Structure formats: structure tokens, C-alpha cells
Amino acid sequence: MPSVTNTSGISFGLTNSTRQTFYIQLRARYGEPRSSVVTLEPQQTVTLVLASGSLYQYSLKHEYQVTDISVKIWHDYHWDIARLDEETDRSRSTSVEGSMFDGVRIDCRWQDYRQFLTEDQTSRSYFKLQGGHYP
């Protein structure tokens, strides 16, 4: 097991090299109307600052597909969302479903037909309900 050598924050870079928009949310707060949702457009990268060796759990959503992942890293790390399918296939072929690959584990996939509304979209919806036109 790696020893924790960095007591300050480490960066976890998440890149969306797909053609789909993804939404990222802490798994424990998934679906809560007032919790933060990060929108990751195609070709965008977001960097999260994490505590070294701590376990973080996120839900990644595109369209109606939700993938729950766990992240536990000890140094700065970059991960591409395009690897979701690759790592799901690898875990199935090796019969090691749920094991940690490079500090990121795919826990499960499921369907959710609700739509996330970001703060900006909520403001637009409210504006439209008031009879305004939003560009």
C-alpha cells in the first residue's frame, strides 16, 4: 500500500474527450435539487482538489446513463471519461468487477430519467416562467 507523502491537496483532472455532455455530482448528494452539479462539455477538463489517499465517490451522468465511480489517489492524476467503457469491459473480462484501476473504480451503472438543472438553467426557466425571453 502506498504511503501518504503529500498532506496537502492533490489534483484529480477529469477530461471529457467524448462528444457528449457529462454532469458530475458527489454521489452522496446525487439528485438533491440544491447540490452542486458540474457540467463537463465535450473537450473540457475539470480539476478537483482531493486529499491524498482519501476515498471520494462521484456520479457521472450523460443522457439517462449514470455511472458511479470511486476515486482514491495518492498523487496528482488525470483520468479521461472516455475510459468508462474501456474499464467496464476490462472489469467484466477479468472477473474483478469493482476493483480499483489506476485509482478509479467503476462501482455501478444505472438509468436515471430525471434531468439535472444547473443554476444557470434554473434561472433561465424561472425567467421564462415570468414571460421573459432569454437568449
Side-chain angles (χ1 to χ4, degrees):
M1 176 178 210
S3 64
V4 177
T5 57
N6 187 357
T7 57
S8 62
I10 57 172
S11 65
F12 175 57
L14 196 57
T15 298
N16 181 6
S17 65
T18 70
R19 295 181 184 177
Q20 303 160 336
T21 299
F22 276 80
Y23 301 95
I24 305 166
Q25 188 173 25
L26 282 172
R27 187 182 318 167
R29 309 263 337 247
Y30 183 85
E32 291 181 11
R34 294 281 184 217
S35 65
S36 296
V37 176
V38 175
T39 303
L40 195 58
E41 298 291 341
Q43 307 310 313
Q44 278 187 328
T45 298
V46 65
T47 301
L48 306 172
V49 178
L50 309 177
S52 179
S54 295
L55 181 67
Y56 292 86
Q57 297 178 318
Y58 298 99
S59 294
L60 307 175
K61 181 176 181 179
H62 75 93
E63 295 177 353
Y64 302 111
Q65 181 73 40
V66 180
T67 303
D68 291 336
I69 65 168
S70 295
V71 178
K72 188 173 186 177
I73 54 178
W74 284 267
H75 54 82
D76 292 347
Y77 187 75
H78 187 86
W79 197 71
D80 194 325
I81 287 179
R83 294 180 64 186
L84 284 174
D85 291 328
E86 169 191 325
E87 295 199 7
T88 300
D89 292 342
R90 181 166 45 168
S91 68
R92 284 185 188 142
S93 67
T94 59
S95 300
V96 196
E97 196 163 320
S99 65
M100 202 62 88
F101 291 109
D102 299 325
V104 178
R105 177 180 62 214
I106 296 172
D107 297 324
C108 69
R109 287 188 168 202
W110 51 285
Q111 302 287 314
D112 182 9
Y113 295 98
R114 297 175 292 176
Q115 290 191 353
F116 283 131
L117 288 179
T118 62
E119 191 171 317
D120 184 50
Q121 290 170 324
T122 304
S123 300
R124 289 181 187 192
S125 299
Y126 178 77
F127 190 75
K128 286 180 182 177
L129 286 174
Q130 300 302 314
H133 299 285
Y134 201 88

